[in-house]
Amino acid sequence: MKITKVIGYGLSSPVKSKFTYYGYQTNIKNIGIVEVHTDNGLVGFGETYAGVYCAELIEPTVKYLENYLLGADLNNNIIDNIPFIGRSGLIKCVYSGIDIAIHDILSKNQNVPLYQYLGGKNTDIKLYASNGSSRFSPKQIEDDVKHITDLGYTSYKMRIGVQDKSVDLKRLESARKYLGEGDLMVDAIMGTNPIKWNYNEALNWSKNLEQFDTLWLEEPFTPTFIDDYSKLCLESNLKVAGGESLNQYLEFKTYKDKKSVDIIQPDVTNSGGVKECVKVINLFGNKNTAMHVWGSQVAINANEHFSKAYEVNYLEVPLMELEINDYIKGEGIGIGINITDDVKSKYKLKNKIDFKI
């Protein structure tokens, strides 16, 4: 099979909840989609996490990358042949969506789900419901936890670090009370929150979180503060998680070599796609890996298939549910996604509403 066309585009979907999440201008979320077309008529779909932050750049960036892909075999990893700009950053993030679309095609060509193409089985994987906006009040956290348990989830991740610490502690009390004995994960969102913790604040927070039987503390620092991550891993009784913002193998290897996290959190929509995430799994081990997801159904499906194939420790399921998800689910082969022209028209990109603090 040869590649005949590659297109990228942003879409905008209302969030089913009327709540406006931290960092979003409205209750509408942008996503970045990639399509790869082949000479035998198969079309693959992928998502790039860059769509959340710069949806307007998806189309021109994919158009640039198409020059390297036209006429190429599906197994030709062209990203390695683009010096300097191809190894990390926006180009690598957008290429993640291309790599997912290529794997969607490869598995469709064999008429199997992606996890099966990758050598996996349809095994159950541990899921956790991810919501608990940093802006939620203690009562909203209570309602949120009741909602996710009604949906059948027993594990829950919430965000802290935006409101006053005394309020955050009450929010945590509410989460633990209504979650019962389920796993509670806490995300400090220091990768996006402009109000940063220093090391002592992070260490004190890790001690505070012990009373809530917290499974892990996520992103306690800016991702580049590697030494602080390593020090906290040594001094904290909690597991430290991170890595969702990394998209270069060198970054992951540095985290591994410096023992900067206990739980690594790659995302196939940002970390280079399926091929690169396999390298991350091989580096950290599947039981020390929890896949990050914060996109549309495309991102959820792609990470779920990867998680099944490599039996990772946990898969994040965003409860910031998008309306568009109900209209893009396809058949059970590939990653199980189909995006029609009608869907593209209905959820046409709205400019200037990307995530922004």
Side-chain angles (χ1 to χ4, degrees), residues 289-306:
T289 302
M291 300 304 293
H292 168 270
V293 188
W294 198 248
S296 75
Q297 195 69 45
V298 184
I300 295 170
N301 285 19
N303 278 288
E304 180 181 12
H305 280 270
F306 184 88

Side-chain angles (χ1 to χ4, degrees), residues 41-320:
L42 289 177
V43 179
F45 295 95
E47 181 170 349
T48 168
Y49 193 39
V52 174
Y53 300 95
C54 55
E56 296 86 351
L57 295 181
I58 305 308
E59 182 178 356
T61 305
V62 172
K63 188 66 178 176
Y64 162 76
L65 288 169
E66 186 187 39
N67 294 325
Y68 290 88
L69 289 159
L70 289 178
D73 185 87
L74 289 179
N75 291 309
N76 181 13
N77 191 17
I78 64 99
I79 198 69
D80 292 336
N81 298 323
I82 304 177
F84 296 97
I85 62 171
R87 298 191 187 103
S88 62
L90 177 62
I91 297 292
K92 189 68 169 290
C93 183
V94 172
Y95 186 79
S96 301
I98 293 173
D99 185 78
I100 293 167
I102 287 173
H103 280 84
D104 188 30
I105 293 169
L106 290 170
S107 48
K108 283 177 176 176
N109 190 52
Q110 294 190 12
N111 202 37
V112 296
L114 177 58
Y115 70 80
Q116 187 175 335
Y117 173 82
L118 295 173
K121 298 179 180 178
N122 191 19
T123 53
D124 290 334
I125 51 175
K126 290 193 290 184
L127 309 173
Y128 70 86
S130 180
N131 208 35
S133 172
S134 58
R135 286 177 169 166
F136 277 6
S137 67
K139 180 61 169 65
Q140 286 174 306
I141 291 290
E142 173 188 336
D143 294 340
D144 200 35
V145 174
K146 288 178 178 178
H147 174 62
I148 69 104
T149 54
D150 286 345
L151 293 175
Y153 293 99
T154 58
S155 301
Y156 176 70
K157 185 169 82 178
M158 60 179 287
R159 279 80 178 164
I160 63 171
V162 172
Q163 302 187 60
D164 186 81
K165 186 172 184 176
S166 62
V167 177
D168 272 341
L169 289 170
K170 291 178 181 177
R171 296 169 68 244
L172 286 156
E173 288 177 8
S174 184
R176 175 46 73 197
K177 177 180 178 180
Y178 293 98
L179 186 60
E181 297 181 356
D183 286 340
L184 175 63
M185 298 82 157
V186 176
D187 189 349
I189 58 172
M190 290 296 139
T192 52
N193 188 350
I195 308 169
K196 306 296 184 186
W197 290 347
N198 60 37
Y199 180 79
N200 287 333
E201 286 175 310
L203 180 61
N204 287 334
W205 256 115
S206 74
K207 293 175 181 178
N208 296 144
L209 290 172
E210 289 182 37
Q211 64 186 296
F212 304 110
D213 195 21
T214 305
L215 183 64
W216 72 56
L217 171 59
E218 182 175 330
E219 272 205 316
F221 307 105
T222 297
T224 51
F225 286 17
I226 296 173
D227 290 339
D228 282 347
Y229 270 98
S230 301
K231 187 178 179 182
L232 189 63
C233 279
L234 284 174
E235 297 189 356
S236 173
N237 292 326
L238 293 186
K239 291 181 180 179
V240 176
E244 67 188 64
S245 66
L246 309 183
N247 73 345
Q248 184 185 41
Y249 182 75
L250 176 61
E251 295 173 327
F252 285 105
K253 192 171 189 307
T254 301
Y255 266 51
K256 175 63 176 178
D257 291 345
K258 287 185 167 286
K259 299 179 181 179
S260 299
V261 292
D262 301 295
I263 303 294
I264 194 68
Q265 297 176 298
D267 183 334
V268 293
T269 71
N270 178 57
S271 306
V274 174
K275 286 183 178 179
E276 287 292 298
C277 284
V278 171
K279 294 179 183 178
V280 176
I281 290 282
N282 290 338
L283 189 63
F284 284 87
N286 61 340
K287 299 308 177 186
N288 301 314
T289 302
M291 300 304 293
H292 168 270
V293 188
W294 198 248
S296 75
Q297 195 69 45
V298 184
I300 295 170
N301 285 19
N303 278 288
E304 180 181 12
H305 280 270
F306 184 88
S307 298
K308 286 184 176 183
Y310 294 97
E311 298 181 348
V312 304
N313 186 28
Y314 254 119
L315 171 67
E316 180 174 19
V317 181
L319 267 290
M320 185 183 182

